Amino acid sequence: MKNLFVRWMVVLVWFGFVGCQRETASSSVAVKTQNEIVAAKGLSIYRYQGYSLVTITNPWPNATKDYVYVLQRKGAVIPDSLKQYPTVPVPLSAIVVTSTTHIPSLEMLGVAETLVGFPNLDYVSSEKVRTRIDAGTIRELGSNQSLNTEVLLDLQPDLIVGFGIDNNNPALDNLQKSGLKVMLNGDWNEQTPLGKAEWIKFFGALYGKEKQADSIFNQIEKTYKQTLALAKNAKQKPTVMAGAIYENQWYLPHGNSWGSIFIADAAGAYLWADSHGTGSLSLPFEKVLEKAKDAEYWIGPAQYTSLAEMTADNPHYAQFKAFRDKKVFSFSTKKGAKGGLIFYELAPNRPDLVLQDMLRILHPELLPDHPLYFFEQLR
């Protein structure tokens, strides 16, 4: 779900230290404290006197090592046992992030003005950040695979927050060799809605805004769980299909995917809920038609923004009941000023809004006053 994915990847998106003690200047070993992370599986944060220990355990699928970082506040003494790990002075005053999913955290924490560079600026949808882009205060950095080292060396940010899709990250490795500080962020690899949202605490630790990050996440979690409880009042579970055709294959979410979880939590019956996997499933058109021709709802039909556009591309879409009943809902209609999809940027940070949308779609009687935030019914 990253900002470099091409349009058709919309369909793939639908579809992862006990007892509190303080350190003293004479400490040589860090005494474990309580992990502050509850929902995210790939992140842990342990807070100490003057510094925090951040561990990224699953920055990409099947990662074979953990990445540990020490966030050091001014004047803090770091124990000898932690000096083997990269140290980042905090709070930050200038940052470079590399995924649009990082931007909402900066905004919610009130530190968006510290963003000084980003790759592929056109993908950014945030109005506030776009204003700064237009003013020239955020520099273009090229692409994630080949970040512009010259510009980054000129910017000298306090930190570059990167991500990887596998163990091969030459661009980030080269930046570190040039003396720039880099941290990996694995929010995209979280498999649950609240797990993704909790990564705001990663940025809270970077800015000394831990309490604010905790408060924001707690409110998101509260709203999500309230909506989940409301969904339990549904009297039936309407059938749901998803995805669309790309190069003669129909791509749709696997049964354990992020998108599938939202459908289930909103009391919907996703037709491929019993498939195993967290990514996308590809099937021949005939198999999808056989199983989903009478589905009541069609959610996330790839990049399409109208029913006419769908049938112009493939007239066979009209064979589905959900299409004929005009119960097709897409997040591709809502874009930023340069065409970036707002869903890509904000949805991982605000699963409460996604779930509210989903419940409003599938059970409008349970949430009649909620205006759809990310989705729109195609006409």
Side-chain angles (χ1 to χ4, degrees):
M1 289 198 302
K2 290 300 178 180
N3 56 315
L4 292 179
F5 285 17
V6 290
R7 276 197 327 159
W8 70 272
M9 289 294 284
V10 177
V11 66
L12 304 184
V13 167
W14 239 141
F15 331 135
F17 294 92
V18 241
C20 182
Q21 298 187 28
R22 292 187 174 185
E23 293 299 323
T24 66
S26 60
S27 295
S28 60
V29 177
V31 180
K32 293 182 180 180
T33 66
Q34 183 176 356
N35 182 15
E36 299 183 0
I37 304 302
V38 294
K41 301 301 183 184
L43 173 67
S44 64
I45 300 176
Y46 297 90
R47 197 183 310 177
Y48 299 87
Q49 180 72 12
Y51 67 93
S52 296
L53 194 65
V54 177
T55 302
I56 314 300
T57 57
N58 199 30
W60 50 77
N62 304 314
T64 57
K65 62 174 286 189
D66 295 347
Y67 294 82
V68 182
Y69 308 93
V70 179
L71 308 185
Q72 182 182 25
R73 290 183 282 281
K74 186 176 181 179
V77 175
I78 305 301
D80 293 342
S81 61
L82 300 180
K83 290 181 179 178
Q84 61 182 305
Y85 303 120
T87 299
V88 179
V90 295
L92 304 180
S93 59
I95 193 172
V96 164
V97 299
T98 53
S99 167
T100 56
T101 61
H102 303 159
I103 290 174
S105 289
L106 300 181
E107 280 204 49
M108 288 188 283
L109 291 170
V111 293
E113 75 280 357
T114 66
L115 181 63
V116 296
F118 187 85
N120 292 304
L121 289 173
D122 283 353
Y123 283 94
V124 178
S125 298
S126 162
E127 292 183 6
K128 182 180 295 185
V129 175
R130 289 230 61 88
T131 298
R132 297 188 66 243
I133 292 171
D134 294 341
T137 56
I138 300 176
R139 301 277 296 276
E140 173 63 69
L141 299 178
S143 67
N144 276 313
Q145 288 89 347
S146 56
L147 293 169
N148 191 317
T149 304
E150 183 178 348
V151 173
L152 283 165
L153 289 173
D154 183 52
L155 286 172
Q156 286 293 308
D158 296 331
L159 182 67
I160 300 166
V161 177
F163 70 90
I165 57 174
D166 55 34
N167 198 39
N168 184 31
N169 298 292
L172 297 180
D173 293 341
N174 289 334
L175 292 171
Q176 287 178 299
K177 291 176 183 177
S178 300
L180 296 171
K181 292 188 178 295
V182 176
M183 285 183 72
L184 289 172
N185 179 296
D187 63 351
W188 74 277
N189 201 35
E190 293 288 338
Q191 300 303 326
T192 65
L194 290 176
K196 288 180 184 290
E198 196 173 18
W199 279 79
I200 191 173
K201 295 180 181 180
F202 171 94
F203 290 97
L206 294 177
Y207 287 91
K209 291 180 174 285
E210 291 92 346
K211 289 184 179 180
Q212 186 177 346
D214 290 348
S215 177
I216 292 169
F217 174 73
N218 290 341
Q219 184 58 54
I220 290 170
E221 181 184 40
K222 179 181 177 181
T223 304
Y224 193 97
K225 289 182 176 179
Q226 287 173 338
T227 308
L228 186 62
L230 188 59
K232 296 186 185 301
N233 296 319
K235 296 179 179 179
Q236 76 285 329
K237 292 186 177 183
T239 51
V240 180
M241 62 180 291
I245 296 172
Y246 176 74
E247 292 187 348
N248 298 319
Q249 284 290 104
W250 193 298
Y251 289 89
L252 61 155
H254 256 303
N256 304 117
S257 68
W258 191 60
S260 179
I261 290 172
F262 280 118
I263 295 171
D265 283 357
Y270 178 49
L271 292 175
W272 281 270
D274 59 351
S275 64
H276 297 289
T278 57
S280 64
L281 179 65
S282 61
L283 296 171
F285 169 81
E286 293 76 16
K287 289 287 186 181
V288 177
L289 180 63
E290 179 183 2
K291 191 166 188 173
K293 62 181 179 180
D294 293 321
E296 296 170 76
Y297 290 89
W298 187 343
I299 297 177
Q303 76 275 9
Y304 298 112
T305 58
S306 72
L307 298 177
E309 183 183 2
M310 291 178 68
T311 50
D313 198 23
N314 193 319
H316 294 297
Y317 287 140
Q319 296 184 50
F320 293 90
K321 179 179 185 297
F323 182 94
R324 297 193 303 272
D325 291 347
K326 296 182 173 57
K327 291 186 176 182
V328 183
F329 293 82
S330 174
F331 53 77
S332 294
T333 61
K334 299 185 178 182
K335 301 176 180 179
K338 294 291 185 177
L341 291 178
I342 294 171
F343 185 88
Y344 279 163
E345 184 168 304
L346 184 58
N349 298 267
R350 294 300 307 272
D352 54 332
L353 293 176
V354 179
L355 185 59
Q356 287 177 327
D357 273 10
M358 200 63 57
L359 188 60
R360 178 67 176 81
I361 290 168
L362 300 179
H363 300 282
E365 74 284 358
L366 295 179
L367 211 59
D369 298 325
H370 173 73
L372 293 180
Y373 190 93
F374 293 110
F375 289 85
E376 184 173 326
Q377 187 171 8
L378 297 191
R379 306 294 180 184

